Amino acid sequence: SSSRWRSKASDSARSAAAPGAPSADAMRLFLRSLDGASTLVEADGAALVGEVAPDAVVFGGVALCADQRLADVDGIEECSTLHLVPRLAGGGDGTEAMGKKNKHTHG
């Protein structure tokens, strides 16, 4: 599938007129992982959050949906930092916690 983002390193290898170059509404964003490492990416405002980052993304304390467009997120602008957080596997089997309900055993 075609990607609408690329790292700054690959950006220097292409000219602005090259095929696949970002459109005029492209913006630079920082992706920061839990270990503090940051990556600079360029993304089109029409790009989906899930296209920009494979992990769950938090911006301004709000978890973003993978199918949300960057242009639709309030506050994202040039050089904004998006925080990457791992998706946690889990859920449950539908039973109550510890398999028990609150039972009164005294009195």
Side-chain angles (χ1 to χ4, degrees):
S1 71
S2 66
S3 178
R4 294 186 183 180
W5 67 276
R6 63 183 188 276
S7 68
K8 186 175 179 184
S10 65
D11 190 27
S12 63
R14 298 182 189 176
S15 69
S23 64
D25 65 341
M27 61 183 127
R28 291 184 202 150
L29 301 170
F30 291 96
L31 301 179
R32 180 165 293 165
S33 62
L34 284 179
D35 65 2
S38 291
T39 303
L40 179 63
V41 297
E42 282 194 359
D44 186 308
L48 300 176
V49 171
E51 294 173 337
V52 174
D55 293 329
V57 178
V58 174
F59 177 72
V62 177
L64 304 180
C65 297
D67 61 351
Q68 193 171 7
R69 297 207 178 280
L70 291 173
D72 295 338
V73 179
D74 288 335
I76 288 186
E77 56 189 33
E78 182 76 15
C79 295
S80 290
T81 299
L82 306 178
H83 297 272
L84 304 177
V85 293
R87 295 186 192 275
L88 299 177
D93 61 3
T95 60
E96 296 289 327
M98 302 299 291
K100 300 177 183 177
K101 291 189 176 189
N102 294 333
K103 294 182 180 178
H104 295 283
T105 58
H106 302 285

